[in-house]
Amino acid sequence: MESKTVLYIILASIVALGIVVFQYIYKQKAKSKIYLLLAFLRFIGIFGLLLLLINPQFAQKTYTLEKPNLVILADNSTSVAENGKELNNIISKIKATKELSNRFKITDYKFGSDLNILDSLTFKGKNTNIHNSLSALKDVYAREQMVTLILSDGNQTIGEDYSYFKAERNNTIYSMVLGDTTKYKDISVGPIQTNKYAFLKNKFPLETYVSYQGNTPVSVFVSVKMNGKIVHRENLKLNSDVNFKAISIQVDANSVGIKNLEVKVSPLAEERNIKNNRRSTSIEVIDEKTKIALVSDILHPDLGALKKAIESNEQREVSIFKSSASKNVLEDVDLFIFYQPTAKFKQSFDFAKSKNANTFIITGSQTDYTFINNSNIGIEIENGYPQQEIFGLLNNAFTKYDTASFDLTDFPPLISDAGPILITSPFETLLGTQIKGLNVQQPLLSVIDENSSKRALLLGENLWKWRVQTYRNTNEFINFDEFIGNLIRYLTSSKNKSRLNVDYEKVYQGSSNAVITATYFDEAFLFDQNAKIRIQVTNKEAQKSQTSPMVLKNGYFEADLTNLVAGEYEFIVSVEKESKTAKGTFVISEFDMENQFVSSDNLKMEKLAVNSGGKVFYPSQIEDLINDLSTNKAYVPTEKGTENIVSLIDFKKLLAIIIIAFTAEWFIRKYNGLI
């Protein structure tokens, strides 16, 4: 307590005593015991009030002994499973050493792809991220002295290069290298790069590489298999200088379905690890041909030109039908092209409208414009006009897709007898109309986007002449075919809204990233976070199923399938108390990145330790490690003092005493008739 505060307390007692003496001794001139009691009570009350105003405080110091942290980081990935017993023994010995427990506060963690508290080591981690674990500890022990001991083989599969990790000044890193550090002769296959999907009867690329570790020249065979059948094979000669060979091939997609691809290199005679001699992946070959119905009751060269242009993309299939075609043959059609429709087209028009299908209407000299106007499709065309030649003008302001590559140079005119047109739905002009050199501000080709359906309208025939002119200009049909192809792609790109949507990969490289997500919307198409969604996953080969709920995350539901083994699976996602379901299939390829290493990476482990002021050790040097930690003067407990400012008085108790003193004084004076 400060001397100034003590003086204030003495002064307060003098003031209180002075007031009491003046009131009860000097002024009252009475010596009875009652007056002495009243004087005492008055003194207590006044002195208490003055103490409340002074509020005397004193400093209370406490001292604690703070130990530095010894943080053990144990690798829990599959690559150290063979050294698991040794790793557990090292941890047990460190924690049982009395010198270390007296000097350090020991905590232990395990890591794979993420950092966790060490309860037990399973060695089932599919990935190793040393850098991420060290970064997480940096935040946990930001203001405390720590020594990090990392026990690992040093083989990291994901994340930033840990050898460049920059430790804080309060952190010294020691590393102990597990496993065999000897550099053995080894040959391995790198990651396979290919598409997720391939179209039927097309070729798809496959790229990978073969790397060699060794000094003597070797000759090996590399084979690429698709569903067990060899599709490529070559011989490689490698040595210490030429130790890398890229493989780049084109594979034929001859049938629909999921295709398992495997790249395998023949093992060396003295090779220790042959698990990295093969890599596998999968690709799905799909036949997503867009089925297009070209409906016409007349024979015209335009039909052949359109069919050729559209089918220049092998994923599109055009069938020519009469307007009287039955609903059964039109059921699977994705896009309807009505060529010069008349009243006979009513059945096919109504069917397309009932399916909410996209349409492309082409008019000409034999078109019934009255039928189109009465079809309630938002288009009105005046009729009764004579046939005339019309030229196309490309609209450079068209925004639906890029048309800059289309060239109309020297294109002949089309023939049309259509009058002025009124389109009552939102539309954009793709080609304008030019008649006798004058832009008449009428669309020749326009696209109409209304709600969930799309339509295109072309007011002219003899498109075949445009395709012929394209060939005359460039000796190929690409200019015209791509123009029509882009229009068809736009007309077939619309998707129906679905309340239940599932997002997943067709192929997962190992099970470590096998996750399926789903979103579910109510009838107003608002995300329904209260929905209960379940997923049933079935292994096709074993015919074993597992059902589990999907977990609500931030705006979606998720199913974690990392516990699945390699194989082909099918799944069904369902919503409780709803009829909504979604189905799909996927493949988990057999791949474990942790098995791709031949030996431990002691060089990186040493670099990590040295950069932070620590050292690298090996399991046989456990005693040296313990001795270094026990005797290093940089790691000693420190005494820390904490000073707390504490009030000398308890305000509640003192206030109670003051109230009691004044109250007792008042009652005694009242009882004795002194008031």
Side-chain angles (χ1 to χ4, degrees), residues 92-105:
S92 299
K93 190 165 186 176
I94 291 174
K95 296 172 75 173
T97 303
K98 192 173 182 180
E99 291 84 356
L100 293 180
S101 58
N102 289 338
R103 174 174 275 211
F104 295 98
K105 182 168 64 176

Side-chain angles (χ1 to χ4, degrees), residues 100 178 280 419 497 607:
L100 293 180
L178 305 174
S280 60
K497 283 188 176 181
K607 184 178 179 180

Side-chain angles (χ1 to χ4, degrees), residues 454-638:
K454 297 177 181 178
R455 290 190 293 275
L457 175 65
L458 175 64
L459 301 175
E461 60 179 290
N462 289 342
L463 275 175
W464 66 272
K465 294 183 178 180
W466 284 13
R467 193 167 191 264
V468 170
Q469 188 61 46
T470 292
Y471 189 83
R472 287 177 178 172
N473 292 345
T474 62
N475 290 323
E476 53 188 3
F477 298 106
I478 292 178
N479 179 48
F480 178 81
D481 290 354
E482 285 189 350
F483 175 74
I484 296 297
N486 289 336
L487 177 61
I488 298 300
R489 183 174 65 249
Y490 169 76
L491 292 174
T492 56
S493 63
S494 61
K495 296 181 179 179
N496 294 326
K497 283 188 176 181
S498 175
R499 290 171 57 193
L500 177 61
N501 301 289
V502 178
D503 186 22
Y504 65 100
E505 299 288 340
K506 292 289 186 179
V507 180
Y508 295 98
Q509 296 292 326
S511 63
S512 60
N513 61 345
V515 173
I516 293 178
T517 60
T519 53
Y520 179 70
F521 302 92
D522 59 20
E523 293 182 359
F525 276 91
L526 298 175
F527 179 73
D528 187 358
Q529 62 180 1
N530 297 317
K532 294 182 179 179
I533 301 180
R534 304 185 69 83
I535 182 170
Q536 178 182 335
V537 181
T538 304
N539 187 304
K540 286 186 176 181
E541 182 177 354
Q543 287 301 308
K544 290 185 178 180
S545 299
Q546 69 176 43
T547 303
S548 58
M550 299 186 74
V551 180
L552 176 64
K553 293 296 184 72
N554 186 21
Y556 63 92
F557 296 88
E558 180 181 275
D560 186 351
L561 307 178
T562 55
N563 62 324
L564 299 180
V565 298
E568 293 188 29
Y569 293 86
E570 57 187 10
F571 70 87
I572 300 176
V573 174
S574 58
V575 183
E576 187 175 314
K577 298 180 181 180
E578 294 282 348
S579 60
K580 304 294 182 182
T581 60
K583 300 179 181 180
T585 60
F586 62 90
V587 171
I588 297 179
S589 60
E590 188 173 356
F591 175 73
D592 187 354
M593 189 64 189
E594 294 291 326
N595 289 327
Q596 304 303 305
F597 303 100
V598 182
S599 55
S600 303
D601 197 336
N602 59 311
L603 297 179
K604 282 190 176 182
M605 291 283 279
E606 181 178 6
K607 184 178 179 180
L608 171 67
V610 171
N611 286 346
S612 68
K615 299 178 183 178
V616 63
F617 293 91
Y618 298 89
S620 60
Q621 299 173 310
I622 181 63
E623 296 296 338
D624 297 334
L625 170 64
I626 293 175
N627 182 63
D628 186 283
L629 293 174
S630 302
T631 59
N632 196 321
K633 294 182 180 180
Y635 320 128
V636 292
T638 56

Side-chain angles (χ1 to χ4, degrees), residues 13-23 43:
S13 64
I14 294 173
V15 171
L17 183 60
I19 293 173
V20 169
V21 169
F22 175 77
Q23 289 181 336
F43 174 80

Side-chain angles (χ1 to χ4, degrees), residues 419-459:
I421 180 173
L422 174 64
I423 302 177
T424 58
S425 300
F427 75 98
E428 277 197 43
T429 299
L430 177 54
L431 296 177
T433 302
Q434 185 182 53
I435 300 176
K436 297 181 179 180
L438 178 66
N439 184 355
V440 296
Q441 303 296 322
Q442 285 284 315
L444 172 61
L445 174 59
S446 55
V447 294
I448 305 164
D449 197 340
E450 183 179 20
N451 298 326
S452 59
S453 64
K454 297 177 181 178
R455 290 190 293 275
L457 175 65
L458 175 64
L459 301 175

